[in-house]
Amino acid sequence: MRCDKKDLLLYAVTDRAWLGDKTLAWQVEESLKGGATMIQLREKHLDEDTFQAEALELQALCRRYGVPFLINDDVELAVAVNADGVHVGQHDMEAGQVREKIGPDKILGVSAQTVEQALRAQAAGADYLGVGAVFPTGTKDDTLKAICRAVDIPVVAIGGIGAHNVQALAGSGICGIAVVSAIYGQPDIQQAAHTLLLKTQEMISK
């Protein structure tokens, strides 16, 4: 199994919006100390060399903590730095092509908003699905449940999730949550991650 369900419990997606005077590596390490179980590097505006240097730095950090490191969208970079995997959306490279490029041993995550997209991604070799946005609008709870029932691979919920509403996802069939601001937009990243981890574990056990 390339992707263990427990790795998807608290899936932290990077965003430089809240860096201030800190580095992304510092921010990510704080989330790892707090219990983040998977890290996805998401960058939209960095030049190639800077992005690659950053990816290598974060990958080394994740390996130290024994946590999978994935890159968003950039399949070529994921291959170049030997990342643990890649996550693609519906408008990025098709999942089957991504699987061909990254090989059989890397983690492939795919965003899905419908049961049809979810089944297609699973058939193309996805290891897990990111389904959302679940709050405050977007994917209704019944869609989330329907996707979880339709596929055999793990599903993580994304979009607007935080410590205040994660319990509402109990019984949906997900195995974890993917968050950005609920960790990285908080004044104490480590504490925010720890709190979310505990609340997510509680939600899933219900």
Side-chain angles (χ1 to χ4, degrees):
M1 190 72 175
R2 289 174 292 248
C3 186
D4 198 296
K5 277 187 179 181
K6 66 176 172 34
D7 293 334
L8 294 162
L9 191 63
L10 183 58
Y11 189 163
V13 181
T14 68
D15 191 317
R16 16 184 82 246
W18 301 282
L19 279 186
D21 61 351
K22 306 292 188 187
T23 65
L24 199 66
W26 177 87
Q27 203 182 48
V28 168
E29 184 158 23
E30 285 298 292
S31 68
L32 289 166
K33 286 177 184 172
T37 56
M38 188 178 271
I39 300 292
Q40 180 189 130
L41 173 59
R42 189 169 184 266
E43 289 287 8
K44 296 296 180 188
H45 308 295
L46 280 191
D47 66 83
E48 205 173 316
D49 289 347
T50 309
F51 194 4
Q52 180 159 344
E54 184 180 79
L56 288 166
E57 184 181 21
L58 294 190
Q59 176 170 260
L61 193 56
C62 288
R63 290 204 169 143
R64 218 163 67 229
Y65 281 84
V67 167
F69 171 71
L70 277 72
I71 291 175
N72 180 272
D73 288 0
D74 197 327
V75 180
E76 306 296 339
L77 179 63
V79 171
V81 302
N82 195 29
D84 297 307
V86 68
H87 185 96
V88 293
Q90 288 296 316
H91 303 295
D92 302 318
M93 190 185 292
E94 189 272 324
Q97 288 179 284
V98 179
R99 173 56 73 201
E100 282 177 29
K101 279 185 174 290
I102 64 175
D105 302 323
K106 299 294 184 184
I107 300 167
L108 172 57
V110 179
S111 299
Q113 285 81 39
T114 65
V115 170
E116 185 190 8
Q117 289 175 355
L119 288 169
R120 203 161 54 232
Q122 176 176 264
D127 292 297
Y128 74 87
L129 300 171
V131 176
V134 294
F135 297 119
T137 55
T139 304
K140 300 287 189 292
D141 189 42
D142 52 355
T143 306
L144 186 60
K145 285 180 178 172
I147 288 174
C148 288
R149 281 197 301 265
V151 298
D152 301 318
I153 55 177
V155 173
V156 292
I158 58 175
I161 302 166
H164 64 294
N165 61 12
V166 69
Q167 296 301 333
L169 297 170
S172 60
I174 60 170
C175 66
I177 59 169
V179 294
V180 186
S181 61
I183 291 180
Y184 296 124
Q186 305 308 307
D188 187 331
I189 291 171
Q190 187 175 332
Q191 185 57 53
H194 181 65
T195 300
L196 255 183
L197 180 69
L198 295 179
K199 284 181 178 286
T200 305
Q201 285 171 328
E202 186 186 340
M203 176 269 294
I204 283 173
S205 67
K206 285 182 176 176

